[in-house]
Amino acid sequence: MKTNIFCLIFLISFGSITAQKIYSTSQSYKADFKVYVVENEYQADLKVYKVSRAYEAKKNTGLWYFSSTPYDSDKKIYFCENEYDADLKVFFVDYKYQAKWRNSEKKFLLY
């Protein structure tokens, strides 16, 4: 019994740490944090690659799967119009291998 509970807790915590399922909300107060999309790669805290399937979004490496419902997501974000309003600045890359953190001090936002 104790082993089953331990395994269940481990799987739940492992899934939340590794998954990057994101829901984009239209109201800032519903978001876990605010995101601004920068024009240049060097301005970003995180370089993000948008994956097409949820299982491809692994760890906290910038591979994001955009969920269509908030209850299916790990984090809810709001895309703000001004850079100074943002908690995190992202740049969307064209290839999966390019996704990575440029400012690791902001990693806590996605845990």
Side-chain angles (χ1 to χ4, degrees), residues 26-82:
S26 58
Q27 290 98 12
S28 63
Y29 67 90
K30 291 183 178 179
D32 295 320
F33 59 93
K34 298 175 199 165
V35 173
Y36 180 75
V37 180
V38 296
E39 292 182 22
N40 300 300
E41 191 175 328
Y42 68 86
Q43 297 172 303
D45 298 317
L46 175 64
K47 296 192 291 184
V48 175
Y49 180 75
K50 185 178 172 183
V51 296
S52 57
R53 294 179 177 85
Y55 69 84
E56 293 179 290
K58 295 180 181 174
K59 299 185 182 175
N60 190 357
T61 59
L63 300 177
W64 285 5
Y65 172 76
F66 282 89
S67 166
S68 58
T69 55
Y71 56 84
D72 244 358
S73 67
D74 298 315
K75 292 290 181 179
K76 293 178 252 339
I77 63 171
Y78 173 75
F79 285 104
C80 55
E81 295 182 18
N82 300 306

